[in-house]
Amino acid sequence: MSVKNNKVIPVLIFMIWSSSSVFAQTKDFGKNSIEAGVGLGVNEGWSELGMGFVYTLGFQREIGLDGRLRINPNLLFGGFIPIGFTDTEEQFYRLTNLGVDVNYDLIRVKSVSLVVTAGAFASYSRGLIGTGGYWCVEENEQSAYFSHVYFGAKGAFGIRLNPKKSKLSYELRPINIHVGSRRFVLGYPMFEIAFKLHKKATPSN
């Protein structure tokens, strides 16, 4: 969607490759992990409407002995344009979303689980509307800057693959929904990879 956003995908790939080297010599992992993901989102707000790639980066902490419950504070961001929408002015805007998720393995069979998610978020959207061009109903030579803040709740479900002896876990979330104040709605499918962190070394006596 933009040059800056397109650079995020190679960065995520590099994170995966570099993490493989870091964790290659041990399988002793703790309850913490770092998550990164990419998806394709559709968003509508108070004055904006668009589609674009979204990216997430977060920290995840397992709660309890079996790790079925996890707390996940995260940052989601992306850029949007009204591609595919014919009844709106041309626009470009960015979205930054701070959230906290609670993930739970509703069904688990060995390393595969069905995950349900609930959480809350605060979102900041800003950009330009009415820049003229292909998506305008009528040609418009003027543009207007906007910025909006939204608050709301979110939910998701997906499939998680978490091999116990692997340094990585994977999650495919076909449905993620954010619903907030002032008509805010954000939906997207997303693929996430979690990089498991090592346990802290226990000092020997």
Side-chain angles (χ1 to χ4, degrees):
M1 297 300 170
S2 69
V3 175
K4 290 183 178 179
N5 282 340
N6 289 336
K7 291 181 179 180
V8 176
I9 296 177
V11 171
L12 293 177
I13 294 174
F14 174 76
M15 289 174 63
I16 296 170
W17 175 82
S18 61
S19 67
S20 298
S21 300
V22 171
F23 294 126
Q25 298 179 358
T26 182
K27 297 177 182 178
D28 190 16
F29 306 111
K31 293 179 176 291
N32 301 327
S33 60
I34 302 295
E35 289 190 328
V38 59
L40 180 63
V42 176
N43 173 239
E44 181 176 6
W46 182 249
S47 59
E48 65 272 30
L49 176 66
M51 176 182 293
F53 287 105
V54 291
Y55 310 92
T56 186
L57 184 64
F59 173 82
Q60 184 164 259
R61 170 73 178 182
E62 295 180 359
I63 305 297
L65 297 177
D66 60 359
R68 295 175 74 100
L69 181 67
R70 298 175 298 279
I71 304 297
N72 174 217
N74 56 81
L75 169 69
L76 181 141
F77 56 95
F80 295 82
I81 58 176
I83 185 170
F85 300 98
T86 58
D87 57 349
T88 186
E89 294 179 293
E90 185 181 9
Q91 54 193 274
F92 173 75
Y93 64 96
R94 296 185 181 278
L95 183 70
T96 303
N97 186 306
L98 289 172
V100 177
D101 295 344
V102 177
N103 304 315
Y104 182 72
D105 292 343
L106 187 63
I107 300 173
R108 179 191 287 177
V109 179
K110 295 184 179 180
S111 61
V112 179
S113 56
L114 176 64
V115 182
V116 293
T117 299
F121 71 89
S123 189
Y124 176 52
S125 179
R126 68 280 187 198
L128 291 173
I129 291 181
T131 55
Y134 181 79
W135 288 286
C136 285
V137 177
E138 297 180 358
E139 197 68 27
N140 187 349
E141 296 181 355
Q142 297 181 346
S143 61
Y145 177 79
F146 73 89
S147 63
H148 302 307
V149 176
Y150 306 98
F151 301 93
K154 55 180 174 172
F157 78 89
I159 302 237
R160 184 178 187 234
L161 176 63
N162 180 33
K164 296 300 182 183
K165 296 183 179 181
S166 173
K167 56 191 165 290
L168 302 176
S169 66
Y170 311 89
E171 190 168 338
L172 178 62
R173 297 184 179 183
I175 295 180
N176 297 264
I177 297 292
H178 298 215
V179 178
S181 57
R182 306 175 73 191
R183 304 188 312 192
F184 181 89
V185 178
L186 172 64
Y188 54 92
M190 175 165 282
F191 176 70
E192 292 186 357
I193 296 178
F195 312 97
K196 301 175 187 177
L197 303 180
H198 296 294
K199 291 182 179 179
K200 292 183 178 180
T202 302
S204 57
N205 295 328

